[in-house]
Amino acid sequence: MSRPIKFVPTKNSRGVWVLSIPATLSSTGKRRREFYQKKEAAEARARELKNMMEAGARVARVAGPELIRAAVNYDELFREIYSFAGGLEEACEHLMKLLDEKTRSVPFRQLLISHERSRLANWGKQYLTTWNTFRKHVKDLESKPVISLGAEFWREWLEATADREGWGDRTFNDYASLLSSVWKHGVAQELCEKNPIEGVVRRKIRRMEKAVYTVEQVKTLLNTAWTHDRDLIPFFAITIFAGVRPDLNGEIGLLVWEDVNFEENWIRVGANFDNKTNTKRFVPMEPNLVAWLSPWKKVQGKVLPTNFVKRRRYLTRGKYQAEAESPESKWKELVPYGLKVRDITRHTYGSFLEAKCRDRNIVKENMGHTDFETYEQHYRNARTPKEAEAFWSIYPPEK
């Protein structure tokens, strides 16, 4: 009688808990090791493997008598109805193969942990936020063996989750791609045999124009800021004429005047690779942007002024066009404002830059895109050259 397998995690010299997986339970058919930062996680995995073995033994004990009776009475059924040419013997072999594969299969959690450990050091803040949100969505799936998560499962899961969460087509595709990355890594690490997401069809992205400021709206916005709150000019000029992301905890929020080079006329974005795409780029300044920023040539420190959020709301919501002491409910919006158009300044830049240069490589580099998908979906031929000429001719009021 064989000795029972014991699952006891051990701590190595680096303080990592190691669990030895015997060949009979390994997805590769060979003995391997799994690593955990916490003892509790390693012990939980050990209990899970032990329970799987015990479950397999119970199935075998229950199934044994039934299969014997079937051998006597129903062998022909396996041959003729279930298409097992070898009858019950072949059916038994098939059943044991399924049980064996399920017992060896690692939980989906293991793929997630392995993927995260190998990629975490290269993730930016934005991607890490996306990953954490993704982990919340798949939390209920972590204990499932990977062998049970096939293409059909993921098709249904993605569709159901998209309906529940109100995902658009792009978000659906993004999550499918993220899942595919997890599974590809799992295959490379021999944690699973294939990537089931390859069988999931991506949704077709419909091309649509993003909301942008018109030339007249840009003029009105900048001239109003120039007259009533000039310290807001750098924010609007840089986000509208250089496409710097307007996120206050990201690109524009981290931008300092030392990143603006007036001698060579460029703006350095993501100096410490602390932006959405974890990249650094140098955006050329057009002559009109240089003119708008010239009063700040010798300024140092952050580009955004103090109390920025309140001051921006006053400007865009129309406080300065309303009668004195009017409540905000009586203001008339100066330009589109709010979460639905949160990136309108950046989209304005991309649209009018494309209309000027008609070069997708320039748009990609200046805006920091990682591919041409966004260009094709939102910016290509979005504005006419005549509109672009008027846009890039917007200069500060004469002194």
Side-chain angles (χ1 to χ4, degrees):
M1 184 174 181
S2 60
R3 296 171 59 186
I5 299 175
K6 295 183 179 180
F7 299 98
V8 180
T10 58
K11 196 174 185 179
N12 64 17
S13 59
R14 293 179 296 173
V16 177
W17 289 91
V18 182
L19 183 62
S20 180
I21 310 297
T24 54
L25 296 180
S26 172
S27 60
T28 62
K30 300 178 181 178
R31 178 176 289 276
R32 63 183 179 83
R33 295 182 297 171
E34 295 180 357
F35 303 91
Y36 299 87
Q37 296 298 321
K38 295 183 178 180
K39 181 180 180 181
E40 293 80 3
E43 290 178 337
R45 173 62 170 152
R47 289 193 297 272
E48 184 178 50
L49 289 171
K50 185 176 180 180
N51 291 337
M52 290 172 66
M53 286 193 66
E54 292 175 352
R58 287 195 299 270
V59 169
R61 285 195 296 269
V62 172
E66 295 296 328
L67 291 177
I68 292 173
R69 283 192 290 272
V72 176
N73 300 309
Y74 301 108
D75 186 67
E76 288 301 317
L77 292 178
F78 283 100
R79 299 176 187 274
E80 298 178 5
I81 296 180
Y82 299 110
S83 301
F84 287 102
L88 181 56
E89 181 180 359
E90 184 179 338
C92 289
E93 291 176 355
H94 178 72
L95 173 61
M96 294 308 297
K97 182 180 179 181
L98 292 179
L99 290 172
D100 187 49
E101 288 178 349
K102 187 171 184 179
T103 303
R104 290 182 181 179
S105 179
V106 300
F108 184 53
R109 180 192 307 109
Q110 193 67 27
L111 269 64
L112 296 169
I113 292 173
S114 179
H115 178 80
E116 181 175 313
R117 286 176 179 167
S118 67
R119 304 286 200 277
L120 186 59
N122 297 319
W123 286 345
K125 292 181 180 179
Q126 184 70 28
Y127 192 89
L128 183 58
T129 299
T130 300
W131 173 256
N132 290 334
T133 303
F134 165 75
R135 286 295 300 267
K136 291 179 181 178
H137 284 307
V138 299
K139 185 175 180 61
D140 293 341
L141 308 178
E142 290 191 5
S143 62
K144 291 184 176 295
V146 295
I147 195 172
S148 67
L149 304 177
E152 184 61 30
F153 171 86
W154 287 115
R155 278 193 289 269
E156 294 179 359
W157 183 88
L158 282 166
E159 291 291 346
T161 308
D163 289 342
R164 184 179 67 251
E165 300 294 331
W167 291 348
D169 294 339
R170 176 181 284 275
T171 304
F172 178 97
N173 290 350
D174 287 345
Y175 272 90
S177 297
L178 186 51
L179 278 166
S180 186
S181 296
V182 171
W183 281 91
K184 283 180 180 178
H185 178 78
V187 172
Q189 297 299 311
E190 297 186 339
L191 297 174
C192 54
E193 293 185 358
K194 61 181 181 180
N195 173 12
I197 311 300
E198 292 177 349
V200 177
V201 178
R202 305 301 196 270
R203 290 182 176 180
K204 183 177 181 180
I205 302 297
R206 293 163 292 181
R207 187 172 183 272
M208 57 182 179
E209 292 183 1
K210 287 287 189 180
V212 302
Y213 289 144
T214 65
V215 171
E216 290 305 315
Q217 285 174 332
V218 174
K219 289 180 180 178
T220 299
L221 180 63
L222 291 175
N223 288 338
T224 302
W226 188 268
T227 302
H228 295 282
D229 195 345
R230 198 165 296 187
D231 285 343
L232 292 178
I233 286 292
F235 167 79
F236 286 109
I238 290 173
T239 55
I240 291 173
F241 294 127
V244 174
R245 290 185 175 90
D247 43 323
L248 304 188
N249 294 318
E251 290 186 352
I252 194 64
L254 297 173
L255 198 69
V256 294
W257 285 109
E258 289 79 359
D259 292 318
V260 182
N261 189 312
F262 286 100
E263 294 182 0
E264 300 178 18
N265 292 338
W266 48 253
I267 297 176
R268 179 177 56 194
V269 182
N272 298 313
F273 301 94
D274 44 10
N275 56 12
K276 181 179 180 180
T277 53
N278 199 30
T279 58
K280 178 170 63 177
R281 67 184 188 277
F282 294 86
V283 183
M285 290 197 292
E286 297 292 333
N288 66 332
L289 176 55
V290 175
W292 281 104
L293 297 182
S294 60
W296 288 268
K297 276 187 177 181
K298 298 182 180 180
V299 177
Q300 295 182 338
K302 283 186 171 293
V303 167
L304 293 187
T306 58
N307 207 14
F308 168 76
V309 174
K310 181 178 179 180
R311 294 164 72 175
R312 178 181 60 175
R313 189 178 80 251
Y314 281 176
L315 184 72
T316 55
R317 292 283 290 150
K319 172 182 172 65
Y320 303 112
Q321 283 67 43
E323 294 183 6
E325 306 302 325
S326 295
E328 189 168 346
S329 60
K330 298 293 183 181
W331 300 350
K332 185 177 180 181
E333 199 172 64
L334 185 69
V335 292
Y337 170 85
L339 289 176
K340 290 185 177 180
V341 291
R342 57 182 295 180
D343 289 328
I344 191 170
T345 52
R346 180 169 164 81
H347 297 151
T348 298
Y349 171 77
S351 297
F352 285 105
L353 174 66
E354 198 279 338
K356 175 187 178 183
C357 65
R358 290 289 192 254
D359 188 325
R360 68 177 191 168
N361 290 293
I362 292 177
V363 175
K364 176 178 177 291
E365 291 301 317
N366 286 12
M367 299 192 72
H369 293 155
T370 56
D371 53 43
F372 295 111
E373 184 178 348
T374 302
Y375 169 86
E376 293 295 339
Q377 185 183 2
H378 299 305
Y379 298 124
R380 183 166 61 85
N381 295 328
R383 290 291 177 272
T384 67
K386 186 175 181 180
E387 289 177 300
E389 183 180 357
F391 176 82
W392 295 108
S393 298
I394 300 175
Y395 280 82
E398 295 182 4
K399 296 181 181 180

